[in-house]
């Protein structure tokens, strides 16, 4: 029975080690936990603004019911395989198939949440562009006013009596306007000659005959049309796209997305170890690390270290390529632009490398915190379930192995259900990182503290 305790012991050891690492590596006491709380609040706030709350809750309940049916089928298959003495290969096949099915359902929830976050960032980016355009128009208007005022002064010195009378009328009008207390300062002091077109006529004419307001509305609607056919983002639109055109990407992410992130975490840790040995031992670390090796030299290729360097280098390249094309960070691009999973993963990889947010994603504790919560609640449920089986063991003559197997399967299934509930939060936070890499200024006005933290870390990584 001790062999069945490996999985709960692994989760316990991982959670304790992660908590200890967060406390020892944080610059301030509880720094990572405090940032996790802040970004969770921000993700929930963005979801409430971008998606209709009642529709999102309804979809969560529906998909959670579907996940429950899949979990019950998975449980029956696993217990049937264990009860009838199935081969380890069949048990492994059922385990992978159940993980794929449950992962697909949970990734469908993540697709809806990622689409809502991406939609909000696009809207904020449009607002920032409109504000910037308004500032530029105001600046051009001020420059045009200054130019007209100087031109009026020059013409006033050489004008005749009629023009002088017109100038006196303008002065009288300005005095009358200055007596109005409700008028802005710019309108009190402006000259009548300043009211002239600031924009060139070629720039102000649309080819389709639309005015400025219609053209601006058409541009916003066309950009919002990336999300669904109606021109606005809805939970139903993202769900339908996830079940139709993007279902293949959702299924791929459900099977390989979590494993790709696990491989990426291992690669990051190996890179950290390599950097440590290079800084600590200098040139002697070249026989241990993966980078900086003289692969292909005739002298080193014949040695054991050279052979190991070639093998590790090839494995490292293959692992990097796999992570590059199967990262679950691609779901926001799949939801927003209907890209294929691998194409979206490659585009997200380019964004992450160019923006410098890779250390932020690596140090994020959202997945660990969600896993710790799910593991704790699942453990308590399994303990309660074990007490019930212990009381029935004496009367129904249940074997200890059967009890342990039932408890282990119950732990896995409870963990999967709880992790499905946490998937929208995980997907939202990951989408925030990717959208920040694409639209960094979108958080500057709405969430300035988180914007400054993310901007500072990303800029430091680019230096």
């Amino acid at each position: 029975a001790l062999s069945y305790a490996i999985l709960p012991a692994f989760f316990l050891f991982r959670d304790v080690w992660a908590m200890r690492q967060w406390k020892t590596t944080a610059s301030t006491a509880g720094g990572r936990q405090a940032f996790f709380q802040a970004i969770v609040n921000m993700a929930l706030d963005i979801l409430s603004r971008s998606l209709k709350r009642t529709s999102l809750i309804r979809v969560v309940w529906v998909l959670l019911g579907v996940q429950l049916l899949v979990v019950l089928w998975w449980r029956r298959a696993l217990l049937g395989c264990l009860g009838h003495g199935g081969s380890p290969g069949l048990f492994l096949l059922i385990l992978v198939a159940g993980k794929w099915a449950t992962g697909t359902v949970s990734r469908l929830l993540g697709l809806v949440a990622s689409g809502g976050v991406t939609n909000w960032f696009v809207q904020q980016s449009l607002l920032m562009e409109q504000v910037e355009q308004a500032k530029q128009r105001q600046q051009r208007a001020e420059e045009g006013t200054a130019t007209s005022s100087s031109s009026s002064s020059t013409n006033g010195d050489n004008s005749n009596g009629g023009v002088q009378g017109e100038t006196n009328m303008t002065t009288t009008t300005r005095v009358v306007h200055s007596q109005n207390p409700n008028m802005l300062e710019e309108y009190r002091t402006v000259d009548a000659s300043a009211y002239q077109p600031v924009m060139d006529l070629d720039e102000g004419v649309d080819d389709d005959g639309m005015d400025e307001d219609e053209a601006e509305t058409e541009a916003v609607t066309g950009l919002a049309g990336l999300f669904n056919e109606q021109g606005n983002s809805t939970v139903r639109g993202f769900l339908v796209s996830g079940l139709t055109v993007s279902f293949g990407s959702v299924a791929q992410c459900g099977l390989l997305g979590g494993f790709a992130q696990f491989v990426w975490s291992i690669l990051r840790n190996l890179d950290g170890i390599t950097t440590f040995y290079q800084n600590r031992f200098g040139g002697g670390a070249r026989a241990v690390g993966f980078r900086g090796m003289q692969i292909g030299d005739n002298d080193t290729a014949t040695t054991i270290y050279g052979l190991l360097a070639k093998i590790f280098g090839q494995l490292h390249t293959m692992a990097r390529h796999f992570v590059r094309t199967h990262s679950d960070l691609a779901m926001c691009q799949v939801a927003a632009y209907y890209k294929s999973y691998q194409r979206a993963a490659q585009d997200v990889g380019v964004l992450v490398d160019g923006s410098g947010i890779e250390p932020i994603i690596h140090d994020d504790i959202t997945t660990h915190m969600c896993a710790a919560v799910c593991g704790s609640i699942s453990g308590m449920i399994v303990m309660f379930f074990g007490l019930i089986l212990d009381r029935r063991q004496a009367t129904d003559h249940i074997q200890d192995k059967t009890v342990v197997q039932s408890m282990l399967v119950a732990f896995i299934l409870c963990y999967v259900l709880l992790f499905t509930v946490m998937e929208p939060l995980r997907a939202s936070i990951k989408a925030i990182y990717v959208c920040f890499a694409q639209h960094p200024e979108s958080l500057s006005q709405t969430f300035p503290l988180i914007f400054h933290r993310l901007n500072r870390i990303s800029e430091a990584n680019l230096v």
Side-chain angles (χ1 to χ4, degrees):
L2 292 176
S3 59
Y4 293 96
I6 295 177
L7 185 61
F10 167 74
F11 278 94
L12 178 62
F13 175 76
R14 187 193 64 175
D15 294 340
V16 173
W17 181 80
M19 291 291 182
R20 183 179 178 275
Q21 286 295 112
W22 297 339
K23 290 183 178 180
T24 55
T25 57
S27 58
T28 58
R32 289 190 177 183
Q33 290 86 340
F35 180 72
F36 170 73
Q37 294 176 0
I39 201 167
V40 165
N41 293 331
M42 184 183 72
L44 296 178
D45 191 6
I46 291 175
L47 283 179
S48 64
R49 296 182 184 183
S50 59
L51 299 175
K52 192 176 180 179
R53 187 177 304 176
T54 56
S55 300
L56 179 60
I57 294 176
R58 190 182 301 115
V59 168
V60 170
W61 277 110
V62 170
L63 291 181
L64 192 60
V66 174
Q67 188 76 298
L68 179 61
L69 296 178
V70 175
V71 163
L72 291 177
W73 169 81
W74 193 18
R75 174 182 177 275
R76 184 175 181 179
L78 287 175
L79 292 179
C81 181
L82 293 174
H84 293 84
S87 62
L90 180 61
F91 178 79
L92 183 61
L93 180 62
I94 296 174
L95 197 64
V96 173
K99 174 63 177 65
W100 189 4
T102 55
T104 301
V105 177
S106 63
R107 296 296 181 177
L108 191 59
L109 271 177
L111 179 75
V112 175
S114 300
V117 172
T118 308
N119 182 26
W120 182 86
F121 268 87
V122 171
Q123 292 177 356
Q124 293 297 315
S125 178
L126 288 175
L127 290 177
M128 296 294 293
E129 291 179 1
Q130 291 175 3
V131 170
E132 187 65 25
Q133 291 175 2
K135 290 181 179 179
Q136 293 178 0
R137 287 196 297 265
Q138 183 179 3
Q139 184 178 2
R140 289 197 299 265
E142 292 177 355
E143 293 177 354
T145 303
T147 304
S148 301
S149 300
S150 61
S151 176
S152 300
S153 301
T154 304
N155 294 331
D157 295 337
N158 299 324
S159 62
N160 54 17
V163 177
Q164 184 66 31
E166 185 179 353
T167 305
N168 293 334
M169 292 177 60
T170 303
T171 306
T172 304
T173 305
R174 188 182 306 169
V175 172
V176 172
H177 288 172
S178 63
Q179 293 175 357
N180 188 0
N182 298 324
M183 185 171 293
L184 298 177
E185 183 64 23
E186 290 81 1
Y187 291 127
R188 294 175 186 167
T189 58
V190 71
D191 192 87
S193 60
Y195 293 98
Q196 59 181 0
V198 179
M199 185 182 299
D200 294 335
L201 293 178
D202 294 336
E203 297 179 359
V205 176
D206 296 326
D207 295 335
D208 297 334
M210 295 185 299
D211 57 4
E212 185 178 356
D213 295 335
E214 292 178 352
E216 190 171 315
T217 304
E218 183 70 19
V220 174
T221 305
L223 189 55
L226 294 172
F227 301 98
N228 54 42
E229 296 179 356
Q230 287 77 16
N232 54 0
S233 66
T234 58
V235 178
R236 181 181 177 182
F238 290 125
L239 182 61
V240 170
S241 66
L243 292 174
T244 53
V245 294
S246 301
F247 183 76
S249 300
V250 174
Q252 290 185 49
C253 186
L255 179 64
L256 301 173
F259 181 70
Q261 289 302 109
F262 177 73
V263 174
W264 179 70
S265 179
I266 293 178
L267 292 176
R268 287 282 302 179
N269 293 328
L270 289 177
D271 291 342
I273 294 173
T274 302
T275 303
F276 171 77
Y277 273 99
Q278 288 179 352
N279 296 333
R280 183 72 179 270
F281 301 104
R286 295 184 179 273
V288 180
F290 298 151
R291 297 180 179 179
M293 299 177 179
Q294 298 295 330
I295 301 176
D297 192 1
N298 294 328
D299 295 332
T300 59
T302 56
T303 62
I304 298 178
Y305 290 109
L307 182 61
L308 291 177
K310 283 187 175 181
I311 296 175
F312 284 138
Q314 293 177 357
L315 292 177
H316 187 271
T317 303
M318 293 172 59
R320 285 282 182 183
H321 178 72
F322 175 76
V323 172
R324 191 84 173 186
T325 55
H326 295 88
S327 175
D328 61 351
L329 297 173
M331 294 306 295
C332 60
Q333 297 274 334
V334 172
Y337 309 111
Y338 302 138
K339 296 180 180 180
S340 63
Y341 180 59
Q342 296 187 7
R343 173 62 184 274
Q346 293 176 358
D347 293 343
V348 168
V350 174
L351 286 175
V352 170
D353 292 341
S355 59
I357 65 169
E358 185 176 358
I360 301 175
I361 301 175
H362 178 70
D363 295 336
D364 181 64
I365 63 174
T366 303
T367 302
H368 297 289
M369 292 295 291
C370 294
V373 172
C374 296
S376 302
I377 298 177
S378 301
M380 290 187 290
I381 294 175
V382 169
M383 289 174 61
F384 179 75
F385 182 67
L387 292 176
I388 297 176
L389 289 179
D390 184 62
R391 292 184 178 181
R392 295 186 57 184
Q393 185 177 8
T395 58
D396 298 343
H397 303 287
I398 303 176
Q399 298 180 359
D400 294 338
K401 182 178 180 181
T402 304
V403 173
V404 174
Q405 290 177 353
S406 300
M407 293 177 63
L408 182 60
V409 172
F411 177 82
I412 295 174
L413 301 184
C414 291
Y415 184 87
V416 169
L417 281 176
L418 292 172
F419 210 80
T420 303
V421 178
M422 306 296 292
E423 180 62 27
L425 179 62
R426 293 179 57 249
S428 300
I429 294 177
K430 290 184 177 182
I432 286 173
Y433 292 139
V434 176
C435 293
F436 173 79
Q438 189 173 6
H439 308 286
E441 297 297 330
S442 299
L443 296 176
S444 59
Q445 302 298 325
T446 52
F447 302 97
L449 295 179
I450 297 180
F451 165 75
H452 287 298
R453 177 182 174 88
L454 297 179
N455 193 38
R456 174 174 53 84
I457 297 176
S458 60
E459 288 181 353
N461 188 47
L462 291 176
V463 176

